[in-house]
Amino acid sequence: MNLQLTDDGRLRHLLTLDGLPRAIITQILDTAESFMDVGEREVKKVPLLRGKSIFNLFFEPSTRTRTTFEIAAKRLSADVVNLNIATSSQTKGEAILDTVDNLAAMHADMFVVRHSQSGAAHFIARHVAPHISVVNAGDGRHAHPTQGLLDMFTIRRYKGAFHNLTVAIVGDVLHSRVARSQIHALTTLGVPEVRVIGPKTLLPTGVEQMGVKVFHDMEAGLAGCDVVIMLRLQNERMRGALLPSAQEYFKFFGLTLEKLALAKPDAIVMHPGPMNRGVEIASEVADGPQSVILPQVTYGIAVRMAVMAMLAGGTA
Amino acid sequence: MNLQLTDDGRLRHLLTLDGLPRAIITQILDTAESFMDVGEREVKKVPLLRGKSIFNLFFEPSTRTRTTFEIAAKRLSADVVNLNIATSSQTKGEAILDTVDNLAAMHADMFVVRHSQSGAAHFIARHVAPHISVVNAGDGRHAHPTQGLLDMFTIRRYKGAFHNLTVAIVGDVLHSRVARSQIHALTTLGVPEVRVIGPKTLLPTGVEQMGVKVFHDMEAGLAGCDVVIMLRLQNERMRGALLPSAQEYFKFFGLTLEKLALAKPDAIVMHPGPMNRGVEIASEVADGPQSVILPQVTYGIAVRMAVMAMLAGGTA
Amino acid sequence: MNLQLTDDGRLRHLLTLDGLPRAIITQILDTAESFMDVGEREVKKVPLLRGKSIFNLFFEPSTRTRTTFEIAAKRLSADVVNLNIATSSQTKGEAILDTVDNLAAMHADMFVVRHSQSGAAHFIARHVAPHISVVNAGDGRHAHPTQGLLDMFTIRRYKGAFHNLTVAIVGDVLHSRVARSQIHALTTLGVPEVRVIGPKTLLPTGVEQMGVKVFHDMEAGLAGCDVVIMLRLQNERMRGALLPSAQEYFKFFGLTLEKLALAKPDAIVMHPGPMNRGVEIASEVADGPQSVILPQVTYGIAVRMAVMAMLAGGTA
C-alpha cells in the first residue's frame, strides 16, 4: 500500500509526510535528536554510512537544498556524487528511469531527488531495486518532506509537545510544497488547531478539507498562536494577476512586530528560507528574539542525517 | 614507441585500445574481476588510492562518464576534483598544457581527460611528468578505451572466452569512438569474426581493413551471432543528409525481437548507453532477457577501478 | 582594530596582507614549510581538519582558484562543499548575509570567499560567529592574500631572505589585486627596494605612497633586480582605450630574454597565472631556467594548507 514503508512498517523511502505514521515521524525526530551533538563536535563526523554511495539527483537546480543533503551525507561519512541533470519539457519518464537504472547499476544506495514535477520522486521510488532508497528533496508543488520534518523538530524543541498548540501557516499556501508537508505533519502529530492565513488567490480551494481553519485577515488568524510559520512568496507570483505588489502584500500579510504581538508572547516565528525581507517578513521579526529561523537550518542537518541513517543504515 | 606502456611493459597511461597488448588487456580484466565484490560490500571502499589526487579534466561536459570515474575513484579512496573547462575553437594546445602543468604542480597523480578533439589525451600524456598517468575518457571520434574494456569484460563474463565468438557491431560506426575501441579489443583478444552492420553512410570507408566483415543488411549480419553490440545514434545525424528519419532507421537497423531471433538463441545484447529507445533499439530488447546493458554499467565501475589502481597503485 | 587577528594576536581571518604583522606572515610561511612534504608522500593527507566543514563560497567563478583551495582542504582531510552563487548587480548585502548565516547554522568552520566586489570578504568576516573563519580568495581589485603569501614563500625559498632584495612588479598594477597584496607583503617583510613598472595608464595614481619606485621604462626598471614578478594582462584591457594592442604592449612591457638579461644573472621570474604568452611574457622566459612559475603553484597548496590549518586547526 504505502510505498514509503516496508512490509514490517519500517521507513523504506521518504517521499511525503502525507500518510506517514506518527510513530515513524516520532522515530525520525528522536533519531535526529541523537545527531544534534555531531555538529558541535571537534570532528563533525560519524562512520555510519561509510562506503555508501549517495546520489544528489537534481533535475531542478537548488544549491541551498543540495548543500544541506551533501553536508548531512558527508557527516555520516557517505560518498556523495552531485548530478545536475537538465530536463526539457519533452524529457520522457523513460529517460529518467534509464538514468536511474544506470546509477543503480553502479551500486547506488540512495537517491536524493529534486524535480520540478510533482510525483517525480514517487515515480523513481516505484521503480528502484529493493536495496535503494529515495528521498524526495522537493517535487513541484507537491511535497518537501525533510523541510516539514525539520519544522516539526523545531516546534518540538521549542514547545515540548504538539497536543496543546495553535499553529498558523501564513502566505502562499497554494504554490507551497512546504505548506502541504507541514499541514500533514502537524495534523498527524496531534496539533489541535492548524490555521492557514492568506489572500484567497493564494489559498487552495477546499483547503479546509485538510483539517485547517482558513483566515483571510492576518490579525484574526495570528491571535493566540503558539507558532507562526511564514512561507516564502515567489517573486514570479507578483508579476501576474495574483497579487497587486510586494508593498501591498507586505501591508496585509507581511509579518511585522505589530502583527506578531497578537500571537502569544512566547510564540516562535519560522520560515523555510530564503526570506524575502520586506515582502513576507520584516527584518525586525526575522532577526528578532522570537525568530527560530536559523535554528531551523541547524536542525535540518540533524533531521536529514536521521532520515539518511534510517534509510541506508543497514540492518544494524 | 608505445606511449601507453613503460619500458618494462607495464601500463603507463590508458589512451586507446589500439596497440594495447593482449596481456595488458587480460591483466586489466583480471584486476577488474578482483574489484567486482567491492560494490557488493556493506562498506564499498578499499584504501588502495588513499591520498592520491585524481582530476576529472572535462573539456567537454559529460555527467554520465564523469560520474563513473568519480565513483570508481571514491571507491578506491582517492581524492577527486572535478574540473569542467570550457574551451573555444581558438583555445590553443598551449593553454591546455599550461592548465595541465598547473595541476601537475599541485601534485596530481592522474588526469581523466575528456575532450571533443581526437588526440587530446595523447597530447597531454606526451607532456606530463613520469609520475602522472592519463586516462582517456573519450576524445572526439577517436577512442573511449574504458568503454571498450568494459565491453570485453562483459563478453568474457557471459561467454567465458573470445576464440569461438561471432560479434556484430551495429549502427553508426563512422562517428563512434566506442566502435573503434571495440574492434581493436575484439581483434586483439582473438575473436575470429567481427562484423559491422550499418548503412553505407554510417560506416567508415575502408573499415574492412580493420579486419571486420561489412554488412548493409541487418538480417544477414545478425545471423548466427553470439554478441550483438548496438551503437547509439546521435540525434544530430538524423537532421543532416545522412539519414532519412528515425522511423526509417529503426525499420532497417533498429534491433527488434524479430531481428534478434536471427542471432544465436543465447546471444547477448549490449549498448554503451544512453539508449535511444525506438531508434536503434526496441524497448522489448533493451529490457529483455538477452540484454546485458545494465550489467555493463556495473562492470564499468570495476574496470575503471582496475585501470586506476594499475596506473596509480604505486610501486606495490 | 584589526579584523584579522584575535585579541591575543593570533590569525582570526585572512582578508588582506595590508596591516598583517610581520610575525604572522612569517608564521604562515614557516607553517607552509612544514606542509611541503605532504605533497610528496605516498598518501598526500594529514588528518588535521578531519570533520571540519569548509565552504568554497564563489560569487564569481574561478575554477583555478577553487581547485587550489579544494585540494588544500582535502589534503587536510576536511569536508569541502563547493557553492557557485550567481549574484546580480542588484543582489543586496542582506542576501549575502542570509546565505552566510544559513551555512553558519549548518556548523560551517570556514568560508573561502571569492567575489567581484572589493570588501566582500571583510563584509562577511565582520558578520560571522566567533568560531568561523573567512579566507579572502580574491575580492574585486582589492586583495588576494594567499597569492601574495605564496609569492613571499617562493621568494624566501629561492633567495633565503628579504632584507637585501630588489623586487620589480611589472604590468597592470592598476587592476591587479595580486599586486596590492604583494607590495604590502614585500614592504612588511623588509624588502628595501620594491619597483613597479608599467605604462602610466596601468599604474594607480599615487602608487609611490605605498613605498615603491615607479618606472615607465622597463629596461631601467629591471636593472639589477633579484626578483621579477610579471602580472597578467586581462584581455579586456586591450579592447578599451588603455592600450593600443597586445603586440605593442609586448614590445614595451613583455618580458623577453633580452630584457631579463638586464636583471641580476640569478634573478627569478614569477607570474600568478594564467599567463598570456606573447603578451606579458615570452614563452622562452616562462619555460626558461629562471622561471619559478610552476614552483609557485606547488607552494600555493602548502601556503593554503598553512592558512587553513592555522585558522581551523582548533585550540591544539
Side-chain angles (χ1 to χ4, degrees):
Chain A
M1 263 315 292
N2 193 321
L3 195 56
Q4 304 195 92
L5 300 181
T6 60
D7 288 343
D8 57 342
R10 285 178 302 113
L11 194 65
R12 165 86 182 80
H13 302 291
L14 181 68
L15 304 174
T16 170
L17 299 185
D18 190 3
L20 201 64
R22 185 175 181 156
I24 293 280
I25 295 181
T26 303
Q27 189 193 356
I28 296 171
L29 302 189
D30 292 349
T31 308
E33 201 67 58
S34 78
F35 285 123
M36 275 298 290
D37 74 312
V38 175
E40 314 274 351
R41 292 185 203 167
E42 192 66 21
V43 175
K44 286 189 282 284
K45 254 180 137 72
V46 290
L48 225 61
L49 299 193
R50 218 173 77 79
K52 302 287 183 197
S53 297
I54 297 182
F55 291 82
N56 280 329
L57 211 53
F58 276 52
F59 297 96
E60 175 186 64
S62 171
T63 301
R64 189 188 161 90
T65 301
R66 190 261 295 163
T67 300
T68 61
F69 280 100
E70 186 175 345
I71 284 287
K74 284 181 170 171
R75 297 225 171 119
L76 291 165
S77 305
D79 286 330
V80 191
V81 176
N82 294 317
L83 290 105
N84 292 312
I85 302 174
T87 54
S88 61
S89 55
Q90 303 104 300
T91 308
K92 292 185 202 151
E94 218 167 47
I96 292 180
L97 293 188
D98 274 342
T99 298
V100 163
D101 281 341
N102 260 278
L103 297 172
M106 296 175 202
H107 293 293
D109 293 286
M110 196 185 299
F111 295 122
V112 177
V113 177
R114 173 90 163 203
H115 201 290
S116 60
Q117 282 191 288
S118 299
H122 283 76
F123 178 67
I124 292 172
R126 224 171 282 123
H127 180 79
V128 292
H131 68 281
I132 299 180
S133 302
V134 176
V135 177
N136 185 357
D139 60 332
R141 294 191 198 174
H142 176 244
H144 192 5
T146 57
Q147 178 68 43
L149 287 167
L150 76 88
D151 294 330
M152 299 309 111
F153 188 84
T154 306
I155 293 172
R156 196 174 79 164
R157 274 242 151 181
Y158 282 93
K159 294 297 167 190
F162 296 95
H163 68 274
N164 52 0
L165 299 181
T166 299
V167 177
I169 302 172
V170 186
D172 184 6
V173 176
L174 181 61
H175 302 95
S176 173
R177 46 192 170 200
V178 174
R180 298 179 63 89
S181 288
Q182 286 163 340
I183 294 170
H184 283 301
L186 292 166
T187 309
T188 304
L189 290 169
V191 169
E193 187 162 336
V194 180
R195 302 173 180 178
V196 297
I197 305 174
K200 278 182 190 156
T201 46
L202 293 182
L203 297 185
T205 50
V207 67
E208 300 86 348
Q209 287 150 30
M210 292 182 80
V212 301
K213 283 195 189 174
V214 174
F215 291 82
H216 300 304
D217 177 79
M218 194 169 176
E219 277 80 3
L222 289 180
C225 280
D226 298 282
V227 176
V228 183
I229 302 176
M230 302 305 300
L231 299 176
R232 176 177 170 78
L233 188 68
Q234 305 289 342
N235 282 320
E236 58 261 38
R237 306 297 168 220
M238 288 176 279
R239 271 182 242 122
L242 288 180
L243 289 175
S245 74
Q247 289 78 0
E248 187 98 342
Y249 182 83
F250 184 69
K251 189 177 158 198
F252 288 107
F253 296 101
L255 187 61
T256 57
L257 286 175
E258 295 69 37
K259 288 187 201 134
L260 180 56
L262 299 167
K264 287 201 186 149
D266 65 347
I268 56 171
V269 174
M270 297 165 62
H271 190 294
M275 291 182 279
N276 293 304
R277 291 160 177 267
V279 179
E280 73 258 5
I281 192 164
S283 275
E284 299 80 41
V285 175
D287 305 327
Q290 290 173 267
S291 166
V292 298
I293 294 171
L294 287 176
Q296 283 180 274
V297 177
T298 304
Y299 304 158
I301 301 295
V303 164
R304 288 179 179 108
M305 288 174 74
V307 169
M308 288 175 157
M310 285 171 61
L311 289 174
T315 50
Chain B
M1 262 317 292
N2 193 321
L3 195 56
Q4 305 194 92
L5 300 181
T6 60
D7 287 343
D8 57 343
R10 285 178 303 113
L11 194 65
R12 165 83 183 84
H13 301 291
L14 180 68
L15 305 174
T16 171
L17 299 185
D18 190 2
L20 200 64
R22 183 175 181 155
I24 293 279
I25 295 180
T26 303
Q27 188 193 358
I28 295 171
L29 302 189
D30 292 347
T31 308
E33 201 67 57
S34 78
F35 284 124
M36 274 298 290
D37 74 314
V38 175
E40 314 273 349
R41 292 186 203 167
E42 192 67 21
V43 175
K44 287 189 281 286
K45 254 180 138 69
V46 289
L48 224 61
L49 299 193
R50 217 174 77 79
K52 302 288 182 197
S53 298
I54 297 182
F55 291 83
N56 279 329
L57 211 54
F58 275 52
F59 296 96
E60 175 185 65
S62 171
T63 301
R64 189 188 161 92
T65 302
R66 191 260 296 164
T67 299
T68 60
F69 281 99
E70 187 175 345
I71 283 287
K74 285 181 169 171
R75 296 222 172 122
L76 292 166
S77 305
D79 285 330
V80 191
V81 176
N82 294 317
L83 289 104
N84 292 312
I85 301 174
T87 55
S88 61
S89 55
Q90 303 104 302
T91 308
K92 291 185 201 150
E94 219 165 47
I96 291 180
L97 293 189
D98 274 342
T99 298
V100 163
D101 281 340
N102 260 277
L103 298 172
M106 297 177 202
H107 295 293
D109 294 286
M110 195 185 299
F111 296 122
V112 176
V113 178
R114 172 89 163 204
H115 200 291
S116 61
Q117 282 191 289
S118 300
H122 283 76
F123 178 66
I124 292 172
R126 225 170 282 121
H127 181 78
V128 293
H131 67 282
I132 300 179
S133 302
V134 177
V135 177
N136 185 358
D139 62 330
R141 293 190 198 176
H142 177 245
H144 192 5
T146 57
Q147 177 69 42
L149 286 168
L150 77 87
D151 293 330
M152 298 309 112
F153 189 84
T154 306
I155 293 171
R156 196 174 79 164
R157 272 243 152 182
Y158 282 93
K159 295 294 166 193
F162 295 95
H163 68 273
N164 51 0
L165 299 182
T166 299
V167 178
I169 302 172
V170 186
D172 183 6
V173 175
L174 180 62
H175 301 95
S176 173
R177 46 192 169 200
V178 175
R180 298 179 63 87
S181 288
Q182 286 162 340
I183 294 170
H184 283 301
L186 291 166
T187 309
T188 305
L189 290 169
V191 169
E193 186 160 337
V194 180
R195 303 175 180 176
V196 297
I197 306 174
K200 278 181 191 158
T201 48
L202 294 181
L203 297 185
T205 50
V207 65
E208 299 87 348
Q209 286 149 33
M210 292 182 79
V212 301
K213 284 196 190 174
V214 175
F215 292 82
H216 301 303
D217 176 81
M218 194 169 175
E219 277 79 4
L222 289 181
C225 280
D226 298 281
V227 176
V228 182
I229 302 177
M230 301 306 299
L231 298 176
R232 175 177 170 78
L233 188 68
Q234 305 290 340
N235 281 319
E236 59 262 36
R237 306 295 168 222
M238 288 177 278
R239 271 182 241 121
L242 287 181
L243 288 176
S245 75
Q247 288 78 359
E248 187 97 343
Y249 183 83
F250 183 69
K251 188 176 158 199
F252 288 107
F253 296 101
L255 187 62
T256 56
L257 286 175
E258 292 70 37
K259 289 188 200 129
L260 179 57
L262 299 168
K264 287 201 189 147
D266 64 347
I268 57 171
V269 174
M270 296 165 61
H271 190 293
M275 291 183 280
N276 293 303
R277 291 161 178 268
V279 180
E280 73 257 6
I281 192 166
S283 276
E284 297 81 41
V285 175
D287 305 327
Q290 289 173 268
S291 166
V292 297
I293 295 171
L294 288 176
Q296 283 181 277
V297 177
T298 304
Y299 303 158
I301 301 296
V303 164
R304 287 177 181 108
M305 288 174 74
V307 169
M308 288 175 156
M310 285 170 62
L311 290 173
T315 50
Chain C
M1 263 319 291
N2 193 321
L3 195 56
Q4 304 196 92
L5 300 181
T6 61
D7 287 343
D8 57 341
R10 286 179 300 114
L11 194 64
R12 166 85 182 82
H13 301 291
L14 181 69
L15 305 174
T16 170
L17 299 185
D18 189 3
L20 200 64
R22 183 175 181 156
I24 293 279
I25 295 181
T26 303
Q27 188 192 356
I28 296 171
L29 302 188
D30 292 349
T31 307
E33 200 67 58
S34 79
F35 284 123
M36 275 298 292
D37 74 311
V38 175
E40 314 274 351
R41 291 185 203 166
E42 191 68 20
V43 175
K44 286 189 282 284
K45 253 180 139 70
V46 289
L48 224 60
L49 299 193
R50 217 174 78 79
K52 302 288 182 197
S53 296
I54 297 182
F55 291 83
N56 279 330
L57 211 54
F58 275 51
F59 296 96
E60 175 186 64
S62 171
T63 301
R64 189 187 159 92
T65 302
R66 190 260 296 164
T67 299
T68 61
F69 280 100
E70 186 175 344
I71 283 287
K74 284 181 169 171
R75 297 225 171 119
L76 291 165
S77 306
D79 285 330
V80 191
V81 176
N82 294 317
L83 290 105
N84 292 313
I85 301 173
T87 54
S88 61
S89 54
Q90 303 103 300
T91 309
K92 292 186 203 149
E94 218 165 47
I96 291 180
L97 293 188
D98 275 341
T99 298
V100 163
D101 282 341
N102 260 278
L103 297 172
M106 297 176 202
H107 294 293
D109 294 286
M110 195 185 298
F111 295 122
V112 176
V113 178
R114 173 89 164 205
H115 201 290
S116 60
Q117 282 192 288
S118 300
H122 282 77
F123 178 67
I124 292 171
R126 226 172 280 122
H127 180 79
V128 292
H131 68 280
I132 300 180
S133 301
V134 176
V135 177
N136 185 358
D139 62 330
R141 294 191 199 174
H142 177 245
H144 192 6
T146 57
Q147 178 69 41
L149 287 167
L150 77 87
D151 293 330
M152 298 310 111
F153 189 84
T154 305
I155 294 173
R156 196 174 80 165
R157 274 242 153 182
Y158 282 92
K159 294 295 167 190
F162 296 95
H163 68 275
N164 51 359
L165 299 181
T166 299
V167 178
I169 301 173
V170 186
D172 183 5
V173 176
L174 180 62
H175 301 96
S176 172
R177 46 191 170 201
V178 174
R180 298 180 63 89
S181 288
Q182 286 162 339
I183 294 170
H184 283 301
L186 292 166
T187 308
T188 305
L189 290 169
V191 169
E193 187 161 337
V194 180
R195 302 173 180 176
V196 297
I197 305 173
K200 278 181 191 158
T201 48
L202 294 181
L203 297 185
T205 51
V207 67
E208 300 85 349
Q209 287 150 31
M210 292 182 79
V212 301
K213 284 196 188 172
V214 175
F215 292 82
H216 300 303
D217 177 80
M218 195 169 174
E219 276 79 4
L222 288 180
C225 281
D226 299 281
V227 176
V228 183
I229 302 177
M230 301 307 298
L231 299 176
R232 174 175 172 80
L233 188 68
Q234 306 289 340
N235 281 320
E236 58 262 38
R237 307 294 166 222
M238 288 176 279
R239 271 181 240 120
L242 288 180
L243 288 175
S245 75
Q247 290 78 358
E248 187 96 343
Y249 182 83
F250 183 69
K251 186 176 159 200
F252 288 107
F253 296 102
L255 188 62
T256 56
L257 286 175
E258 293 70 36
K259 289 188 200 131
L260 180 56
L262 299 167
K264 287 201 187 147
D266 64 347
I268 56 172
V269 175
M270 296 165 62
H271 191 293
M275 291 182 278
N276 294 303
R277 290 160 178 268
V279 179
E280 73 258 5
I281 191 165
S283 275
E284 298 80 42
V285 175
D287 305 327
Q290 289 174 267
S291 166
V292 298
I293 295 171
L294 288 176
Q296 283 181 275
V297 177
T298 304
Y299 303 158
I301 301 295
V303 164
R304 287 178 181 109
M305 287 174 75
V307 169
M308 289 175 156
M310 285 171 63
L311 290 173
T315 50

